[in-house]
Amino acid sequence: MSLPMSPSPFHAILFDLGSTLIFFDGDWDELHPLANQEMTRALQSAGLELDEESFAQAFTTRIEEYFSRRELEYIEYTTAFFLKLLLTEWGFTQVPEEAIQSALKARYAVSQPHWKVEEDTIPTLCTLKEHGYRLGLISNAGDDQDVQTLIDRAGIRSFLDVILVSAALGIRKPNPQIFQLALDRWAIAPSQAAMVGDTLSADILGAKNAGIFSIWITRRVDDPADQGAMDNIQPDATIATLSELPGLLANL
């Protein structure tokens, strides 16, 4: 493993994905129903006799119920899990996996074009790589393939030694186990890594639980609940933009 050229005590930097390296420029309230309609149409094309409006609405309700409580658990339930569960309840118990994956691909194709890479993401990753840092990503998401697609669309895969997605692992940040998996890949101690993310209750709390230096990036923070968490969750450092990160690390 190459060591950083800077005086930073860290050998590796972990990143969140959404609202950290990439940002969303759409309206979720508009796109979620559209995405679920496209998913339902894909299932219809696979031969399932579903009422488009009622099934899409039932799935929207099921997912929203999960979203409202998922931050209380460290377990990740995938979008595929809820789709299969709902299909079973509707009497479709033998749906081919290919049809499930095609439906999910259609669903996420609606939102993927609205994810944009931050202007300073690639320049910052280049700088960190040039200084010898190992780089990794930990993302909370309901679909692994969606995250992999977003990584490729952003053009950042080549910078990342480690990519961990909660949907593929079954655990979510702030579970310290998902952070430990990254440390194990690099065979480094928690004190040799830093985590950069926008969500106090997942990225920052999770890093602190794992003994990793936590860096809160604030430019996309718009969740009042997350702002309120400042009373209980204190990051080790705060930056407004990614371009500030190399300087921060060099001065620690």
Side-chain angles (χ1 to χ4, degrees), residues 124-164:
T124 299
L125 296 181
C126 283
T127 297
L128 294 175
K129 275 289 191 181
E130 289 169 359
H131 283 77
Y133 290 100
R134 307 297 298 271
L135 307 179
L137 181 144
I138 303 178
S139 178
N140 278 355
D143 188 87
D144 178 62
Q145 188 54 55
D146 179 44
V147 174
Q148 302 299 333
T149 299
L150 294 176
I151 289 170
D152 288 331
R153 289 176 66 98
I156 59 174
R157 184 177 297 276
S158 62
F159 295 102
L160 303 170
D161 303 314
V162 173
I163 297 172
L164 300 175

Side-chain angles (χ1 to χ4, degrees), residues 218-238:
T218 59
R219 68 176 158 200
R220 300 289 177 186
V221 174
D222 59 4
D223 186 344
D226 210 41
Q227 290 280 10
M230 278 292 291
D231 293 338
N232 301 312
I233 305 170
Q234 292 290 332
D236 295 307
T238 300

Side-chain angles (χ1 to χ4, degrees), residues 94-194:
Q94 301 294 326
V95 181
E97 185 64 25
E98 182 180 351
I100 296 291
Q101 293 306 316
S102 294
L104 293 174
K105 184 176 181 179
R107 180 181 193 267
Y108 287 107
V110 173
S111 59
Q112 285 166 355
H114 292 276
W115 285 103
K116 313 294 185 182
V117 64
E118 294 282 6
E119 193 172 297
D120 55 359
T121 290
I122 291 178
T124 299
L125 296 181
C126 283
T127 297
L128 294 175
K129 275 289 191 181
E130 289 169 359
H131 283 77
Y133 290 100
R134 307 297 298 271
L135 307 179
L137 181 144
I138 303 178
S139 178
N140 278 355
D143 188 87
D144 178 62
Q145 188 54 55
D146 179 44
V147 174
Q148 302 299 333
T149 299
L150 294 176
I151 289 170
D152 288 331
R153 289 176 66 98
I156 59 174
R157 184 177 297 276
S158 62
F159 295 102
L160 303 170
D161 303 314
V162 173
I163 297 172
L164 300 175
V165 182
S166 61
L169 298 170
I171 51 177
R172 293 171 55 82
K173 297 174 291 186
N175 190 327
Q177 288 181 308
I178 200 169
F179 294 86
Q180 187 60 49
L181 287 173
L183 299 178
D184 291 344
R185 298 276 183 92
W186 285 315
I188 63 174
S191 60
Q192 295 174 305

Side-chain angles (χ1 to χ4, degrees), residues 13-16 21 125 128 135-138 195-196 242 245:
I13 312 298
L14 289 163
F15 293 92
D16 173 49
L21 299 177
L125 296 181
L128 294 175
L135 307 179
L137 181 144
I138 303 178
M195 172 72 194
V196 182
L242 279 176
L245 182 59

